[in-house]
Amino acid sequence: MEKVAQHVNETSPCDTPLVKCEATETEPNEKSDHIKCTLLNDWKSLLVVVSLSAICLFIINFFYHSSTVSKPHTIAILPFTNNIALQGQRGLAEASAWNLSYLLTRSTNLRIVSHTSTAALAKKDLSATEIAEKLAADYLIEGQVDGLYSGKYHIEISLIRGRDGIQIWSGGSDVSREQLEQVQLSLLREMFTQLNNEEIIVKSAEDLYQKAQSLARRHSPEAVAKAIDLLLLAITIDDQHSRAYSALSALYLERYIGEDDDPMWLKLAKKHLYRSLSLTPELADSLLGLSEIQFYAHDYAEARRSAKTVLSSDQTNLAAHLMVIKTYLAEYEINQAKQALLNAQQKTVKSNELIFLKAIIGLQNGQLKKNIEIINSLLSEPMPYYYSQQAIATATAVGQSEIAYHWGKKRLEITPNQRQIWVYQSINLANLGLFNEAKAALKKLDGRPIMQTFSAYEAVYLTQGQQQHLLTLVQDYLQKHSDQKATPAIQAIYGVAAMYAGNYKLAIKNLSSALNTASHSYDQLLLSSAFYYGSLAYSLEQENRPVEAAQIRQQGLEQVAHLNNNGVKLSHLNVYRARLYSANDHNMALRSLRKAVDNGYSKGKFLQHDVVFSSLHKNAQFTTLVAQAEANKAH
């Protein structure tokens, strides 16, 4: 009996015996019951052993099966056969194979055999199955590129199953060199269909699109770059994915306006937008992409029309509401912008963008302190580049140079090549009296179009009394770009520079031509036209043409009144009014300057060196106002 108990304990899967039966002196009828107990425990032990063994076998089988199923397939891309006679084109076949390898690596779960291994075996006289076996490849891809008499090429690609050497797919096309990548993508999509049939995982274009959108919402250069990469892969897998094209367009445009205004980014933005529109012309994403392109082309009415088309079918679309508000702000239709903002708040969910635009409108209305605090708190949140640039531009416009410079500095830490921010930095540094730093900032603008940079040079040169330098700068630019058409933008800039330098005939010629243009496209800030009217009126007065000067002065005052009626309360609008009055009504000029200074205007150096105010320079009230404007920089 002790041997039986010992056997049970030894064969138990646990170290501790399940039942301990000990032999004791018992009566005959008790011995039988004791033996039954021992046998029962023996069977229980064996049952546990069998059960545990079954569980172990199940676990092993499960994990073996899982690893077998999840193990990615391996594919080997053999060197493409090159049948091109021209010496300079022989690398085309090799490049095609490499490109195919790159695309497959990114878009599938396939493992790609190295080119070194495939090239070595391809030189040997082996069958497809032998190559596949030696490379441990489930599939082989072979291809060739032929030169045609027409000057085009024929590319052919085949997919071969490794285990039996059977060709399961092939495709080809005649192409020009410019079409090669596009045709490769088309052939790859056909191959993806076959790969799906072979139970190989091809990444989902929709999943890639969603991941890209999530990244894009971070609004940083790194996130934008990664999002673009994912979207390019998405349209490689599915060239009918309209939203991916419109998202690509938006990101390339974001890169163009916020990171580096290389025309290539704008070209790519338009290219992908047109593709999206060709696929789904009525889709909200496509129409909003169109409105963004129109907005940055300064075609605000068309941008608004595209956004309102979206709103006609979906009143809750936040992006469309934001675009409508942005277009009114760009046109300085502040009252309209307020109404559009109110409508958006009623129809959509609360968003940082709406709060931000409300604060911008507040600044335009002259409500500085509270709205600067709101904007300052929101700039740490991820938002499109437009918002930080708009904040810096508006703070610069209302004379809040210190905070505008601070915002610009933070923005440039993220996007150091954002040229427009360097323009604002130069203006604000000059206004703060930091002329060496302002000149260093101007260095960042070397080679840029004068239409984009003139205001920066104007701020630096004028506040240092270097008016002639400004005219020389413009003339040098025009000489270097003599092939360019004399646009209203260039004429307006040239005229103002000539006025500062005292060349009034040249000023009248250029300013008259610019202001006679029906469209005010020469300046993104429409209120600047009032500044040009004042400059022209002053130049006409200096040339003893008072009747014409009075007519121009009246047009300028009408422009100021129009902006006021639209809700614009910017302090420097009163400065523009003062410029229009300075030649013939000193009291009205000083009254307008008083309003500007009381509303926070801080560019005292500009007032002191602007020749339009030369008749006021000896006036005691004017001197006091200049000092008060300078003091506003500390507030």
Side-chain angles (χ1 to χ4, degrees), residues 25 95 116 132 135 186-187 202 212 292 313 339 353 366 388 456 492 505 527 534 563 582 589 611 621 629:
E25 293 183 5
T116 304
L135 295 174
S186 177
L187 293 173
V202 178
E292 289 286 349
S313 57
Q339 187 58 46
E353 288 85 353
S388 59
K505 286 185 173 62
L527 60 84
L563 290 164
S582 64
V611 295
Q621 289 185 53

Side-chain angles (χ1 to χ4, degrees), residues 52-127:
L52 287 173
S53 299
I55 291 171
C56 291
L57 287 172
F58 174 78
I59 292 171
I60 292 168
N61 182 63
F62 174 80
F63 280 106
Y64 174 79
H65 179 71
S66 298
S67 63
T68 304
V69 171
S70 62
K71 179 184 176 182
H73 291 268
T74 301
I75 193 166
I77 302 174
L78 303 178
F80 282 18
T81 303
N82 190 2
N83 295 325
I84 302 174
L86 292 175
Q87 183 72 26
Q89 304 295 332
R90 290 185 179 177
L92 202 60
E94 183 179 0
S96 298
W98 277 95
N99 190 48
L100 192 61
S101 173
Y102 172 72
L103 290 170
L104 284 171
T105 300
R106 298 181 67 228
S107 57
T108 71
N109 68 330
L110 288 165
R111 295 187 300 182
I112 312 298
V113 177
S114 72
H115 285 280
T116 304
S117 300
T118 55
L121 277 180
K123 296 175 183 178
K124 299 179 180 181
D125 187 18
L126 299 173
S127 67

